[in-house]
Amino acid sequence: MAATQAEPSMRKDDAPWTREAFEAQLRGLGVRYHIHHPFNVRLNSGQCSPDEIRGWVANRFYYQINIPLKDAAILSNCDDRETRRLWVQRILDHDGYGDDPGGIEAWACLADAVGLSRDELWSLEHVVPGVRFAVDAYVNFARRVPWQEAVCSSLTEMFAPQIHKDRLSGWPSLYPWIDPQGLNYFRSRIPLATRDVEHGLAVTLDYFKTSAMQQRALDILKFKLDILWSMLDAVEKATTR
């Protein structure tokens, strides 16, 4: 993975960062976010073919349908009632509830818009091994670590609103063959990601207090960023001709 900017500096002594400095270190890892991946750069600059876009949509769907499993794993390990009351909303956001069809259905509508059939999407026939391995590793991580560490891994959402904004602003003109209604997933995630980050960041800043724990938090966030980067590596290799 090649970052485009300098990463946060490592701590030079054993003193923990202040709350503000710790948050700055976490946010500084945005240089590793997959918004900088060559495939995403091509995707958001109009350089991807319809087949490449369909391949990306089909593979990213495997991540989407596993998000509720990841969040359920966090809930199963969490002994804090107030956190559970907030975190359960994430499952509902993706699976849907009441009149809200949820994020998974919104992604399926994106598949419709790019010409990928529902049968193809739900069969997972286009999901490549590298994507399956990366996503499964993330879900397994959430199952086995303390819930606060799994919460920390979710902080990649700090960087997500911009990638969604880029798609919303660019895709309608770059890919006019895609039905704009199919982009509603990106539109819906901007406020939801902002809300989710507020809670996840508070948990992380409260829990990771010592210098060693703060370094652990950075390593966890790097792990999650690597998951997302690896997914695009696999998609790029599978779809680019």
Side-chain angles (χ1 to χ4, degrees):
M1 187 203 77
T4 58
Q5 307 171 39
E7 291 186 17
S9 59
M10 295 292 292
R11 183 187 289 103
K12 296 182 179 180
D13 55 45
D14 291 333
W17 287 304
T18 64
R19 192 177 181 89
E20 293 75 17
F22 181 31
E23 179 177 345
Q25 290 288 322
L26 293 165
R27 291 189 180 277
L29 290 179
V31 298
R32 287 174 166 254
Y33 193 53
H34 66 287
I35 196 172
H36 303 297
H37 192 285
F39 184 88
N40 184 72
V41 173
R42 291 198 304 110
L43 182 65
N44 282 2
S45 58
Q47 299 178 49
C48 283
S49 69
D51 282 345
E52 287 176 314
I53 294 175
R54 292 182 191 112
W56 175 74
V57 169
N59 277 275
R60 181 78 184 193
F61 184 66
Y62 187 66
Y63 180 81
Q64 302 302 325
I65 62 175
N66 273 279
I67 289 175
L69 302 184
K70 176 267 297 182
D71 288 325
I74 293 174
L75 286 176
S76 72
N77 290 328
C78 181
D79 58 0
D80 182 75
R81 180 170 178 255
E82 289 307 311
T83 295
R84 293 198 304 268
R85 284 164 60 89
L86 292 171
W87 205 269
V88 71
Q89 184 62 47
R90 297 181 182 228
I91 297 177
L92 300 177
D93 288 341
H94 280 84
D95 278 340
Y97 66 99
D99 295 330
D100 181 359
I104 291 174
E105 174 59 24
W107 196 269
C109 289
L110 174 61
D112 293 337
V114 302
L116 191 65
S117 75
R118 293 289 179 109
D119 287 344
E120 283 182 280
L121 186 71
W122 280 102
S123 73
L124 306 180
E125 63 188 84
H126 299 300
V127 178
V128 297
V131 168
R132 192 181 296 271
F133 183 85
V135 173
D136 291 352
Y138 181 40
V139 175
N140 288 332
F141 175 83
R143 285 174 176 153
R144 64 180 177 80
V145 300
W147 65 268
Q148 296 95 335
E149 294 194 356
V151 166
C152 177
S153 72
S154 75
L155 289 180
T156 50
E157 289 205 273
M158 291 188 296
F159 319 120
Q162 186 59 53
I163 206 170
H164 298 321
K165 290 175 183 177
D166 289 348
R167 291 163 185 159
L168 289 168
S169 64
W171 280 31
S173 60
L174 296 171
Y175 304 111
W177 55 273
I178 298 177
D179 183 347
Q181 290 300 312
L183 306 183
N184 284 338
Y185 175 86
F186 307 131
R187 190 170 293 108
S188 69
R189 285 308 304 171
I190 294 172
L192 294 179
T194 302
R195 179 206 68 193
D196 291 347
V197 165
E198 183 178 350
H199 177 222
L201 189 58
V203 170
T204 299
L205 297 178
D206 287 343
Y207 179 73
F208 295 87
K209 293 286 194 181
T210 68
S211 58
M213 292 179 72
Q214 289 175 343
Q215 188 58 53
R216 170 66 175 163
L218 293 177
D219 290 342
I220 289 168
L221 190 51
K222 289 176 184 177
F223 162 76
K224 174 60 183 309
L225 289 163
D226 286 349
I227 289 288
L228 297 173
W229 195 278
S230 295
M231 288 171 60
L232 279 190
D233 279 347
V235 170
E236 182 176 49
K237 183 176 182 179
T239 62
T240 304
R241 297 291 182 264

